[in-house]
Amino acid sequence: MKGDLQDFQPESLSEEEGKRHDNDDDCGEIKTGVQLKHDKVVCQSKGFGVFGIFRGLVGSKSITREDVIPVLEKMKEHLISKNVAAEIAEKLCESVSLKLEGKVVGTFSGIASTVKSTLNDALVQLLLPRRRINILRDVLEAQKQHRPYVITFCGVNGVGKSTNLTKICFWLIENNFRVLIAACDTFRAGAVEQLRTHARHLNALHPPEKHGGLQMVQLYEKGYGKDAAGIAMEAINYARDGRLDIVLVDTAGRMQDNEPLMRALSKVYLNILRTLTFITSCYRLFSVDPCKSA
């Protein structure tokens, strides 16, 4: 998984001290005594971001648990302040602690690289599915039980829920499954029209005459300002009665720290829990779990 962490600026030096160190070399050399202290100050002034809190661990001795604990406490506080769940922040800090203990890191760039790679590995492990998902197999299993397979798309604003819903819809009809799109974003202006346009284009790519007269994509919509959970349930019942294979539920974007909106999302989830097979979400790392908000 690629992508840098959002940096925060640690305490900066006074203007005079900053000018004094403008032309200094990188603080990545092994030095001792006064020079090492001097380098730590320069590292701080150059703004190494969140990794700057680890500058105190640079040296010629082995890093111990006692050395790491106060640094990781600062890191944990920073992560929680950025709306990362306390449990996740704890796991990330523990991963960094295990990686650093017993190591001798003589350069700041070395310790920053170690921390960054450890965080990347830990995040990949956290985001990996707990079970192997084979959507096509699960859809066929749902068909045997005479019920539609349901996928709900949720996440913060602007991450591409509706767009990716359409891409998955195209992949599903390429595999000869009939899809019902439930327009449960009843808040964002143009959300229903966007899905209507996508459905029209998908049906143009797979016209009924190529599929025995059956329409491959249908849109279930009730307009704006309606209860999203109710629309989702109606769409699932409609799909069951019409023998449609899959229901793709589009939801309104919301920030994970907005409790009222997360409670509304949990209502969508709980209302379709018995028929829900798979939910894709980007909330797992954050402090509000839509499944625990009810």
Side-chain angles (χ1 to χ4, degrees), residues 103-143:
K103 280 197 169 187
V104 178
V105 185
T107 66
F108 179 80
S109 58
I111 200 166
S113 176
T114 300
V115 172
K116 183 180 288 189
S117 64
T118 302
L119 288 174
N120 282 339
D121 293 342
L123 286 170
V124 169
Q125 289 298 318
L126 287 168
L127 293 171
L128 282 176
R130 296 179 183 177
R131 69 178 182 90
R132 189 175 183 85
I133 297 172
N134 187 324
I135 293 180
L136 299 181
R137 179 200 61 199
D138 291 346
V139 173
L140 293 174
E141 185 64 30
Q143 284 180 333

Side-chain angles (χ1 to χ4, degrees), residues 72 89-100 118-119 121-123:
L72 293 182
E90 186 73 38
K91 289 180 179 179
L92 293 175
C93 291
E94 185 62 28
S95 298
V96 173
S97 174
L98 293 174
K99 192 73 172 181
L100 292 179
T118 302
L119 288 174
D121 293 342
L123 286 170

Side-chain angles (χ1 to χ4, degrees), residues 152-155 161-162 182 184-186 228 249-254 265 268:
T152 300
F153 294 79
C154 58
K161 295 179 294 297
S162 301
C184 295
D185 183 353
T186 62
V249 180
D250 188 32
T251 63
R254 64 205 77 203
L265 181 62
V268 175

Side-chain angles (χ1 to χ4, degrees), residues 181-198:
I181 300 174
C184 295
D185 183 353
T186 62
F187 176 77
R188 177 173 63 89
V192 176
E193 288 79 7
Q194 180 185 11
L195 293 177
R196 195 181 296 153
T197 299
H198 286 319

Side-chain angles (χ1 to χ4, degrees), residues 72-83:
L72 293 182
E73 280 299 317
K74 292 181 181 179
M75 177 180 168
K76 181 180 176 181
E77 290 175 6
H78 174 67
L79 292 172
I80 293 176
S81 72
K82 299 299 182 182
N83 288 328

Side-chain angles (χ1 to χ4, degrees), residues 109-263:
S109 58
I111 200 166
S113 176
T114 300
V115 172
K116 183 180 288 189
S117 64
T118 302
L119 288 174
N120 282 339
D121 293 342
L123 286 170
V124 169
Q125 289 298 318
L126 287 168
L127 293 171
L128 282 176
R130 296 179 183 177
R131 69 178 182 90
R132 189 175 183 85
I133 297 172
N134 187 324
I135 293 180
L136 299 181
R137 179 200 61 199
D138 291 346
V139 173
L140 293 174
E141 185 64 30
Q143 284 180 333
K144 294 178 182 178
Q145 300 174 20
H146 305 290
R147 63 178 177 84
Y149 181 86
V150 184
I151 304 177
T152 300
F153 294 79
C154 58
V156 297
N157 308 70
V159 295
K161 295 179 294 297
S162 301
T163 302
N164 283 288
L165 179 151
T166 307
K167 293 177 181 179
I168 290 177
C169 183
F170 175 75
W171 174 67
L172 291 170
I173 60 179
E174 284 280 301
N175 284 276
N176 208 34
F177 291 116
R178 298 178 65 205
V179 180
L180 177 67
I181 300 174
C184 295
D185 183 353
T186 62
F187 176 77
R188 177 173 63 89
V192 176
E193 288 79 7
Q194 180 185 11
L195 293 177
R196 195 181 296 153
T197 299
H198 286 319
R200 186 174 66 252
H201 290 166
L202 289 169
N203 280 318
L205 291 171
H206 285 268
E209 52 267 24
K210 290 185 178 180
H211 297 275
L214 297 175
Q215 188 174 4
M216 298 303 289
V217 182
Q218 296 183 41
L219 177 65
Y220 192 90
E221 57 171 290
K222 290 292 183 178
Y224 295 97
K226 305 294 176 57
D227 178 45
I231 295 174
M233 277 304 300
E234 290 176 16
I236 292 171
N237 292 331
Y238 178 87
R240 182 186 293 110
D241 296 339
R243 297 191 175 276
L244 296 168
D245 303 309
I246 302 158
V247 179
L248 303 181
V249 180
D250 188 32
T251 63
R254 64 205 77 203
M255 292 299 293
Q256 72 282 347
D257 55 356
N258 189 321
E259 186 175 354
L261 293 182
M262 293 303 288
R263 287 187 181 278

